[in-house]
């Protein structure tokens, strides 16, 4: 590994020694000087406070990284792969325009941030450059599978690999059975699961979508060194937004097109069913605001939902918490005081939990 420029250290008060939620943002539109660089922030659930950590190194000021995976091991965070983009303004109608991400290059880059030393390190790169791929941590190793390998590609890939942080090496794994991108990686019952996604067999007719393939999952068998295809682990043609494991349950709140569908659902090994007390039609009372992102993280028995709402040139960040051990819906949900952030920001990857000590 090689060292990269360090970031300012986070605050060293007692509240910082706990589980924090790590997120990566970028501005919705470039600044006047064209800057759109990603940056990392930490949310402290014990104090409802946000801490700016610093920018992700290695990018030009006018470039932003999207489609990467972010995972944590203890008090370190890994930024893996992704697509380097620039922001381009396009007309969506005669009188309105919006900013879109235009892919430049898919990168195999792997960066590690150590919160103890406030130091970025450059790790061994992925064997296959990829973005919009599934990624999870299992028994101290990082697993990456599927995704896309070129900006203009309309199909996913099937390659998979595993990273050992002790040796800083990526090892190729057998290919998935199906080409997949935008699938979700999660470790459940001690095994690596890659669930859902836009999936198809390599020799399939691409004009005919297959719900059977898109609702399947692949589970890695470490002893046999192979992927096992599991049918029906996701019941929609649209890929999941996020899936997290809590107390041997797999939990989801929506898909990639609608991150919140009004309730939390749990997978019982066969079907997804609504969790008792989780029904909540709206996560926010800010009727005038528009939610632009939603991500969730599991800490202990609780699910944290972090949402961003745009309005009047700023982002209102609201955090809601669902206690999976509560007996009634009234006891299960609680909300933090909204926090106003300057400028309109975008979430660049789903969050992860960092254990700081």
């Amino acid at each position: 590994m090689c060292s990269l420029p360090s970031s300012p250290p986070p605050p060293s008060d007692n509240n910082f020694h706990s589980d924090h939620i790590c997120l990566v943002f970028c501005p919705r539109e470039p600044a006047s000087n064209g800057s759109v660089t990603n940056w990392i922030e930490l949310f402290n659930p014990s104090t409802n406070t946000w801490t700016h950590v610093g920018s992700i190194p290695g990018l030009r000021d006018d470039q932003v990284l999207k489609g990467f995976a972010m995972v944590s091991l203890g008090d370190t965070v890994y930024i893996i792969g992704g697509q380097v983009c620039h922001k381009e303004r396009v007309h969506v109608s005669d009188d309105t325009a919006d900013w879109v991400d235009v892919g430049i290059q898919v990168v195999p880059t792997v960066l590690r941030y150590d919160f103890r030393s406030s130091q970025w390190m450059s790790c061994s790169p992925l064997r296959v450059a990829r973005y919009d791929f599934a990624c999870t941590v299992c028994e101290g190793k990082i697993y990456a599978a599927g995704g896309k390998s070129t900006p203009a590609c309309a199909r996913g890939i099937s390659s998979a690999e595993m990273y050992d942080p002790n040796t800083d090496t990526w090892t190729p794994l057998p290919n998935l059975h199906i080409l997949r991108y935008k699938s979700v990686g999660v470790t459940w019952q001690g095994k690596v699961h890659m669930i859902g996604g836009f999936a198809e067999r390599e020799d399939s007719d691409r004009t005919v979508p297959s719900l059977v393939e898109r609702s399947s999952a692949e589970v890695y068998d470490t002893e046999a060194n192979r992927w096992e295809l599991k049918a029906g682990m996701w019941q929609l043609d649209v890929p999941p937004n996020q899936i997290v494991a809590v107390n041997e349950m797999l939990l989801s709140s929506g898909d990639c097109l609608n991150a919140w569908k009004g309730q939390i659902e749990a997978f019982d090994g066969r079907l997804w069913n609504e969790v008792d007390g989780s029904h909540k039609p709206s996560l926010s009372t800010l009727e005038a605001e528009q939610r632009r992102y939603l991500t969730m993280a599991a800490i202990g028995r609780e699910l944290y939902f972090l949402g961003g709402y745009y309005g009047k040139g700023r982002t209102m960040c609201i955090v809601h918490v669902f206690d999976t051990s509560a007996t009634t819906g009234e006891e299960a949900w609680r909300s933090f005081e909204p926090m106003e952030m300057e400028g309109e920001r975008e979430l660049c990857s789903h969050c992860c939990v960092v254990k700081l000590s």
Side-chain angles (χ1 to χ4, degrees):
M1 302 183 192
C2 65
S3 298
L4 295 170
S6 60
S7 295
S12 57
D13 55 47
N14 291 332
N15 289 324
F16 199 74
H17 299 278
S18 61
D19 288 338
H20 284 56
I21 301 174
C22 186
L23 304 94
V24 175
F25 295 103
C26 72
R28 187 179 73 86
E29 58 184 72
S32 57
N33 61 0
S35 175
V36 290
T37 304
N38 309 75
W39 72 88
I40 290 180
E41 290 192 22
L42 284 179
F43 174 72
N44 186 343
S46 65
T47 59
N48 188 32
T49 56
W50 294 81
T51 300
H52 180 86
V53 175
S55 299
I56 296 177
L59 295 169
R60 290 178 7 189
D61 286 346
D62 62 345
Q63 294 177 344
V64 64
L65 189 65
K66 293 290 188 73
F68 58 90
M70 181 173 66
V71 297
S72 63
L73 283 169
D75 53 9
T76 60
V77 166
Y78 290 81
I79 305 292
I80 304 169
Q83 181 176 213
V84 176
C85 305
H86 72 264
K87 295 274 188 179
E88 185 173 295
R89 193 166 179 81
V90 298
H91 290 281
V92 294
S93 66
D94 291 340
D95 56 353
T96 60
D98 203 356
W99 293 92
V100 298
D101 300 315
V102 178
I104 301 172
Q105 179 187 10
V106 182
V107 295
T109 310
V110 179
L111 299 173
R112 187 188 78 181
Y113 183 74
D114 189 327
F115 284 92
R116 290 172 297 177
S117 64
S118 303
Q119 185 75 43
W120 284 99
M121 304 290 289
S122 179
C123 304
S124 293
L126 289 161
R127 298 176 67 91
V128 176
R130 63 183 82 217
Y131 72 102
D132 285 350
F133 59 98
C135 189
T136 188
V137 174
C138 183
E139 296 182 349
K141 296 180 173 61
I142 301 172
Y143 291 78
K148 290 184 177 183
S149 57
T150 59
C153 183
R155 307 183 79 185
I157 59 177
S158 60
S159 72
E161 49 193 303
M162 177 193 70
Y163 178 74
D164 187 340
N166 296 319
T167 59
D168 187 32
T169 55
W170 287 92
T171 301
L173 300 178
N175 284 357
L176 301 171
H177 292 86
I178 294 173
L179 306 177
R180 294 178 186 270
Y181 68 95
K182 284 192 176 295
S183 57
V184 171
V186 62
T187 297
W188 184 50
Q189 298 180 341
K191 294 184 178 181
V192 170
H193 291 68
M194 307 300 186
I195 302 175
F198 292 115
E200 60 180 332
R201 297 190 180 275
E202 193 165 4
D203 58 354
S204 69
D205 180 355
R206 283 177 286 173
T207 63
V208 182
S210 172
L211 179 59
V212 173
E213 292 166 357
R214 294 187 179 187
S215 63
S216 68
E218 307 212 23
V219 183
Y220 182 63
D221 186 329
T222 55
E223 294 184 0
N225 188 31
R226 68 184 181 189
W227 294 94
E228 181 182 357
L229 195 63
K230 294 281 190 179
M233 280 201 73
W234 183 248
Q235 293 157 359
L236 298 174
D237 191 34
V238 179
N241 182 51
Q242 278 182 279
I243 297 174
V244 298
V246 177
N247 294 333
E248 295 302 313
M249 296 184 297
L250 286 182
L251 300 176
S252 170
S253 67
D255 55 49
C256 68
L257 299 181
N258 187 4
W260 179 250
K261 290 199 167 181
Q263 70 275 333
I264 300 166
E265 295 186 340
F267 184 68
D268 63 6
R270 190 175 63 90
L271 296 172
W272 288 90
N273 298 292
E274 182 178 337
V275 175
D276 291 343
S278 71
H279 185 69
K280 192 176 177 68
S282 176
L283 282 179
S284 174
T285 58
L286 297 177
E287 300 297 339
E289 310 285 357
Q290 179 183 7
R291 189 177 73 234
R292 298 302 296 266
Y293 63 80
L294 181 70
T295 185
M296 67 179 179
I299 298 179
R301 296 175 178 270
E302 295 183 323
L303 271 185
Y304 286 78
F305 293 86
L306 298 89
Y309 299 77
Y310 290 175
K312 301 178 181 178
R314 72 280 206 250
T315 302
M316 188 68 71
C317 294
I318 306 179
V319 180
H320 305 273
V321 187
F322 180 78
D323 186 346
T324 62
S325 64
T327 56
T328 67
E330 291 182 359
E331 297 175 350
W333 284 103
R334 73 179 193 274
S335 300
F336 287 90
E337 188 71 22
M339 301 293 289
E340 185 174 331
M341 307 294 185
E342 184 178 353
E344 294 183 353
R345 55 177 59 188
E346 290 181 348
L347 187 70
C348 300
S349 172
H350 283 303
C351 62
C352 67
V353 176
V354 186
K355 296 186 176 295
L356 302 176
S357 60

